[in-house]
Amino acid sequence: MSTTTTPTTLAHWIGGRADAGSGDRFGTVTESATGETIARVAFATEADVDRAVRVAAEAAVPWGRSSLGQRTKVLFAFREGVNARRDELARAITREHGKVLSDAAGEVQRGLEVIEFACGLGHLLKGEMSGQVSRGVDSYSLRQPLGVVAGITPFNFPVMVPLWMAPVALACGNAFVLKPSEQDPSASLLLAEILADAGLPEGVFTVINGDKDAVNGLLVHPEIRAVSFVGSTPIAKHVYETATAHGKRVQALGGAKNHAVVLPDADLDLAADALVSAGYGSAGQRCMAVSVAVAVGASAEPLIAKIEERIAGLTVGDGFEADSEMGPLVSERHLARVRGLVDGGEADGATLLADGRTLTVDGRPGGHWIGPTLFDHVKPGMAIYDEEIFGPVLCVVRADSYDEAIELTNASPYGNGAAIFTNDGGAARQFEQDVTAGMVGVNVPIPVPMAYHSFGGWKDSLFGDLHVHGPDGVRFYTRGKVVTRRWPDPADRGIDLGFPVHT
C-alpha cells in the first residue's frame, strides 16, 4: 500500500540529465487511489522545447553515424535495465495511473518485447542488392535515420506506449524526444535514467513535460522530422494536420469503440470471461478495451447473465492491494466525464444492469472510483454507444443476425480492433474478411499484436499510413535510399550522349 509523501517536483530530461526548465507553470500529479497530490510536474516553455530539440539535433548526427553494433549494445543494456527495474516501473504506474500492480507489470513486459524486437536492428536495417542491373552496374538500397523524431504519449500506458516508439526510433539511428502525459510522467523519467545507465549518449533521448503548449511546440519545430502520437481522435487529427502542414511524417493513433460480436454457437463462458476482462481491465482505460458486445440472436440473455455473475465477483480497490482486480480512474476530471456518460446512458433509455457509480472503497474516500458498469439495449445515437468512454462501461447491443452485427460494427467511425466469438471456423474466417478494423481477434478479446508485427487501426483510429513498432515502425523512422553504382573497366572509355539503356 502506498504512503503519503511530500510532493516533489518532476523536471524534464535534457542532455542526459534532469533539467528544471525555465518556466513557472506546473501540473499536479495525484495518487489515483487516494486523490492526494504526490508531485508537481514542470511545464516546458517554448524556449525549453526549442533548447531540448536543438540538443537532440546535435546528438542525432553522431548517433545516426554510429555502428549497428554500438546501437545494439546500448539496446541490450537498456533491455536488461528495464528488466531489473520492472517492479519500480510497475509501482510508478500503479501509483499515478491507478491500474492494479499485476496489470502494470504486464504493461512493462509488453514494452520489453518491443525493446527485444529493436535489438535485432542488424537484421531489421538490412537493405537489398541487385548486381549487374546493367553491364558493370549494381543497385542497392539503404535505410537511413531521419534525425530528431518525437513521441507524444497518453496516460493509460505510461511505459508501454513510449516503448512502442523509442526503442525502434533509437535502433534506426534517430534522436528521440518524448512528451509524456502530464498526469503520470514519472515512468518516462525512469526510462530516461535507465537509457543513460545503458550507455546511450547524452541528448539522444529527451523527455519534455508539459501540456498542449509543449505538444504544439514539437509539432511545428523545424528540427523535428517525424511525430508519433497515441491519444484521442480529436487530438490525433490535430497532431496529424498540424505536423504534416509543417512537413513532418506522422503516425497518429486515435480513439476506439471496439466491438466484440458473440454468435449463438460461441462458448458463452469463454466469451463472458473475455468480455469482463477486456471491458473492465485497467478500469476500461485502454484503446483496445471492448466497450461494445454485439449479442447475436439467442446469445443475448445467457451471455448477459454470465457477465452479471462475473461482475458481482470483481474486487475493486487500491492497485497495491493483492486482491484488487480493478483500480480507480486516473483523475477526478476523468471520473466526472465517465460518470456523466453513464448518467446520459440512463437518460437515453438504455437498461442499466450494473451501476458502478454507487461504488465506495473503504479507507479511500478521495480516490477516483467507479465500479464495473453494464448497459443492455444500447443503440447507435446514444452517447454511450457513439463516444469513446474510456472507463469501465460495457454496452450490450442486440443483433438478429451475423449480417446485422457486421453492418453495425462497420458503421462505427472507429476501426481500431474488433473480435468475434464463435466455434464456426467459416464464420470466423468470413469475419476476418468483412470487418473494417486494423486488428482482429477470433475468440481473443484484445487482439494486440506481438512486437514483431505492427499495431494500429483503420478509419478514425489512425491518421497516417504506417502503424507503430514492428516492420511499419522501422519504415516510419527511416527513409529509403537507392544507390546505383558503376566501377567501369579501365578499358571502357568514351562518351555516349544517348539515354541509358539496359543491355
Side-chain angles (χ1 to χ4, degrees), residues 70-86:
Q70 179 184 351
R71 289 183 231 159
T72 302
K73 182 178 179 180
V74 170
L75 284 164
F76 268 107
F78 180 44
R79 191 267 175 203
E80 293 307 301
V82 170
N83 190 49
R85 299 179 70 177
R86 61 194 304 159

Side-chain angles (χ1 to χ4, degrees), residues 393-424:
V393 182
L394 179 62
C395 298
V396 177
V397 179
R398 300 182 182 225
D400 291 332
S401 65
Y402 168 86
D403 289 339
E404 183 182 344
I406 280 289
E407 183 179 356
L408 182 79
T409 301
N410 288 348
S412 172
Y414 301 106
N416 211 40
I420 188 169
F421 289 87
T422 180
N423 284 317
D424 185 332

Side-chain angles (χ1 to χ4, degrees), residues 235-373:
I235 306 302
K237 188 175 182 181
H238 167 74
V239 167
Y240 179 79
E241 291 175 348
T242 305
T244 54
H246 286 80
K248 306 181 193 314
R249 184 179 294 185
V250 181
Q251 51 181 192
L253 280 65
K257 199 70 179 181
N258 303 316
H259 289 54
V261 175
V262 182
L263 298 186
D265 73 312
D267 180 332
L268 294 184
D269 285 308
L270 170 68
D273 286 341
L275 291 172
V276 170
S277 298
Y280 303 121
S282 197
Q285 297 171 118
R286 296 170 173 163
C287 67
M288 289 301 291
V290 171
S291 53
V292 178
V294 184
V296 178
S299 70
E301 296 298 340
L303 176 66
I304 290 169
K306 291 176 183 295
I307 293 172
E308 288 184 288
E309 178 184 347
R310 285 157 174 78
I311 288 176
L314 289 180
T315 301
V316 181
D318 190 323
F320 288 107
E321 299 288 352
D323 63 344
S324 294
E325 297 171 285
M326 191 183 98
L329 297 182
V330 69
S331 68
E332 184 69 28
R333 179 181 178 184
H334 188 49
L335 173 62
R337 179 183 180 275
V338 174
R339 290 179 68 93
L341 283 165
V342 175
D343 294 343
E346 267 196 306
D348 286 341
T351 305
L352 184 59
L353 300 178
D355 188 354
R357 296 169 298 180
T358 63
L359 176 77
T360 58
V361 176
D362 291 342
R364 293 287 185 268
H368 312 137
W369 302 108
I370 185 169
T373 300

Side-chain angles (χ1 to χ4, degrees), residues 48 87 92 226 236-237 277 300 383 429 461:
D48 292 331
D87 291 343
K237 188 175 182 181
S277 298
R429 188 176 186 278
S461 293

Side-chain angles (χ1 to χ4, degrees), residues 164 181 210 280 352 373 376 454 459-460 466:
W164 279 355
S181 170
Y280 303 121
L352 184 59
T373 300
D376 189 13
S454 298
K459 300 190 289 187
D460 281 358
L466 296 173

Side-chain angles (χ1 to χ4, degrees), residues 125-156:
L125 295 176
K126 285 193 301 186
E128 296 177 322
M129 172 78 180
S130 296
Q132 200 70 0
V133 297
S134 187
R135 252 188 328 207
V137 178
D138 305 320
S139 290
Y140 59 96
S141 62
L142 305 171
R143 300 215 66 88
Q144 295 185 320
L146 303 178
V148 183
V149 299
I152 301 163
T153 58
F155 73 82
N156 60 323

